[in-house]
């Protein structure tokens, strides 16, 4: 057998497949690659969806998910793990067990609870298993809706209390993205609650339109940066910047939401000056 060489860190992305290419595993692989790492992937669920919404989930059997992940863990030095759509309580339980077996690897959890088009993607059983996963996560990246559901609170002014509650449940750092709150505000505020207790916020300009896959893009970019050894605060700042750039270069492939251009740095299209 050949002696392995690892020129770039390897990130394990665990999530659903979105055939439209906007979210899910395809988003993860692109974002990880664009941030200088190599993605290996385990698909938890196949989805039927287009750029408008998700129509159906077809979960992959739990044994297949475990077998795929175990084959990867046995073969490669995984430098970070990113978790997205789980799709079934069985998949969620399998991922809880995998994380419990493979400790000491940075874990970023994007708690996917609904599609951009509005369809609910996780019920109460998955929610309970996501809470069980929190003690094994270095960073979780809920938007405000997801944070509310994880905390079981309707109070939109209680984000700080909610982040503290998620940390009390075991999550180390919590990044609550602000895209879904105060949608009339031209600025978006993201809040980062670090494990040692500090809180910081960052702002970015709100982009027009609706995007599909922004959460996956962000969490995967951060995971790739953690795999490179960046501390959480720096990885989050770089991940947010990269995601905003991807969205600002976004394009439409279908009738509804735009997709981020996660490979914008390849300059695949003519620049504005050449048009
Ligand atoms: N993963 C999959 C497979 C999805 O279908 C979706 C949403 O439809 C998501 C993740 C979450 O997407 P977003 O990054 O827009 O939150």
């Amino acid at each position: 057998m050949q002696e392995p060489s690892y020129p770039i860190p390897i990130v394990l992305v665990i999530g659903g497949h979105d055939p439209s290419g906007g979210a899910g595993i395809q988003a993860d692989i692109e974002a990880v690659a664009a941030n200088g790492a190599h993605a290996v992937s385990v698909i938890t669920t196949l989805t039927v969806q287009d750029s408008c919404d998700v129509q159906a989930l077809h979960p992959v059997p739990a044994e297949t998910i475990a077998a795929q992940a175990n084959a990867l863990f046995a073969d490669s030095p995984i430098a970070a793990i990113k978790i997205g759509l789980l799709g079934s309580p069985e998949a969620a339980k399998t991922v809880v067990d995998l994380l419990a077996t493979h400790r000491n690897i940075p874990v970023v959890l994007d708690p996917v609870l609904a599609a951009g088009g509005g369809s609910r993607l996780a019920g109460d059983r998955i929610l309970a298993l996501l809470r069980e996963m929190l003690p094994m996560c270095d960073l979780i990246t809920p938007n405000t809706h997801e944070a509310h559901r994880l905390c079981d609170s309707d109070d939109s002014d209680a984000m700080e209390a909610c982040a503290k509650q998620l940390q009390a449940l075991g999550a180390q750092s919590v990044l609550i993205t602000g895209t879904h709150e105060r949608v009339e505000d031209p600025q978006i505020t993201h809040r980062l609650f670090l494990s040692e207790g500090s809180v910081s916020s960052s702002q970015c300009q709100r982009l027009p339109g609706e995007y599909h896959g922004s959460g996956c893009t962000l969490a995967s970019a951060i995971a790739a940066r953690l795999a490179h050894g960046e501390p959480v605060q720096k990885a989050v700042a770089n991940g947010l910047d990269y995601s905003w750039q991807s969205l600002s270069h976004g394009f439409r492939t279908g009738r509804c939401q735009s997709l981020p251009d996660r490979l914008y740095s390849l300059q695949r299209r003519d620049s504005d000056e050449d048009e």
Side-chain angles (χ1 to χ4, degrees):
M1 209 177 298
Q2 232 182 324
E3 197 52 39
S5 72
Y6 310 114
I8 55 173
I10 298 170
V11 178
L12 170 61
V13 295
I14 302 177
H17 180 250
D18 166 9
S20 80
I25 288 289
Q26 183 170 332
D28 297 336
I29 293 171
E30 290 176 0
V32 166
N35 284 274
H38 173 71
V40 291
S41 53
V42 169
I43 294 182
T44 55
T45 186
L46 300 175
T47 72
V48 179
Q49 68 178 298
D50 54 22
S51 67
C52 303
D53 204 0
V54 175
Q55 288 135 39
L57 297 185
H58 296 280
V60 171
E63 321 76 80
T64 311
I65 296 171
Q68 288 182 325
N70 287 331
L72 294 170
F73 277 117
D75 195 35
S76 304
I78 307 293
I81 302 172
K82 183 262 170 177
I83 299 161
L85 178 65
L86 295 162
S88 72
E90 293 73 21
K93 175 76 179 91
T94 304
V95 174
V96 168
D97 293 344
L98 284 169
L99 294 184
T101 312
H102 301 277
R103 304 304 298 262
N104 302 321
I105 301 173
V107 176
V108 180
L109 169 66
D110 176 18
V112 179
L113 303 180
S119 290
R120 189 170 265 227
L121 298 175
D124 288 344
R125 281 172 68 205
I126 295 181
L127 210 55
L129 284 155
L130 283 169
R131 291 195 189 102
E132 220 176 286
M133 226 177 265
L134 295 180
M136 293 175 280
C137 294
D138 294 75
L139 176 71
I140 60 168
T141 61
N143 60 38
T144 41
H145 296 325
E146 291 161 346
H148 283 316
R149 270 189 77 201
L150 278 171
C151 290
D152 206 9
S153 138
D154 286 332
D155 183 354
S156 60
D157 292 326
M159 271 304 124
E160 176 140 10
C162 177
K164 298 281 174 227
Q165 194 181 319
L166 296 175
Q167 287 180 314
L169 286 171
Q172 290 192 30
S173 296
V174 179
L175 171 65
I176 301 186
T177 57
T179 318
H180 295 81
E181 66 177 350
R182 289 190 264 282
V183 288
E184 64 296 337
D185 195 332
Q187 295 284 317
I188 295 173
T189 302
H190 304 299
R191 276 161 291 183
L192 176 63
F193 302 81
L194 282 173
S195 53
E196 26 71 11
S198 69
V199 185
S200 56
S201 61
S202 61
Q203 293 204 317
C204 64
Q205 186 201 328
R206 186 179 291 281
L207 293 161
E210 294 199 352
Y211 294 85
H212 182 47
S214 55
C216 307
T217 304
L218 172 64
S220 290
I222 296 172
R225 301 236 163 215
L226 292 178
H228 272 283
E230 287 185 10
V232 171
Q233 194 161 16
K234 186 169 177 214
V236 165
N238 284 329
L240 283 169
D241 184 52
Y242 163 77
S243 301
W244 191 89
Q245 291 291 346
S246 302
L247 294 174
S248 73
H249 287 82
F251 52 86
R252 286 182 69 193
T253 56
R255 292 165 296 136
C256 298
Q257 299 163 319
S258 298
L259 314 188
D261 185 354
R262 286 168 285 258
L263 304 178
Y264 66 89
S265 62
L266 296 181
Q267 295 177 328
R268 293 175 293 184
R269 286 163 287 160
D270 292 341
S271 66
D272 290 345
E273 301 90 74
D274 297 338
E275 276 170 8

